[in-house]
């Protein structure tokens, strides 16, 4: 399992990446992160919803309600054009981060 401290700076990137595929809701996004990471990273619910709040406040995502079965409303999220630009910046940052950190990783 990956420490949340190690990956914290990239939670937004993971969420935005999934929203590039289309609108989605919290539980589905959480499940996809768990599945794609092969259970190596499980984003806590509080972390996920804090990220949604931050991303929406910064204009990177929009939220809206849709009715689900039995009349219950579910909050969906979609990426904005500003969110796509931010995602590209974070991907470039990740590439640079990998390049730098890899210089300090050695076999023992």
């Amino acid at each position: 399992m990956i420490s949340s401290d190690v990956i914290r700076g990239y939670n937004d990137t993971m969420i935005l990446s999934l929203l590039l595929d289309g609108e989605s809701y919290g539980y589905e996004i959480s499940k996809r992160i768990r599945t794609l990471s092969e259970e190596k990273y499980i984003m806590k619910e509080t972390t996920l919803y804090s990220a949604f709040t931050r991303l929406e406040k910064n204009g990177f995502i929009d939220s809206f309600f849709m009715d689900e079965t039995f009349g219950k409303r579910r909050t969906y999220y979609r990426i904005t054009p500003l969110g796509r630009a931010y995602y590209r910046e974070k991907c470039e940052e990740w590439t640079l981060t990998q390049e730098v950190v890899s210089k300090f990783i050695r076999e023992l």
Side-chain angles (χ1 to χ4, degrees), residues 15-31:
I15 293 167
L16 292 172
S17 172
L18 295 175
L19 291 176
L20 288 171
D21 297 333
E23 58 199 36
S24 193
Y25 56 95
Y27 176 74
E28 182 64 28
I29 290 170
S30 173
K31 191 168 83 173

Side-chain angles (χ1 to χ4, degrees), residues 14-15 18 29-37 41 43:
M14 290 186 284
I15 293 167
L18 295 175
I29 290 170
S30 173
K31 191 168 83 173
R32 288 182 65 202
I33 289 170
R34 178 183 282 211
T35 301
L36 289 171
S37 73
Y41 182 59
M43 190 179 292

Side-chain angles (χ1 to χ4, degrees), residues 90-102:
K90 293 299 283 182
C91 288
E92 289 170 12
E93 178 185 89
W94 172 248
T95 300
L96 185 58
T97 300
Q98 282 182 297
E99 183 182 315
V100 170
V101 172
S102 69

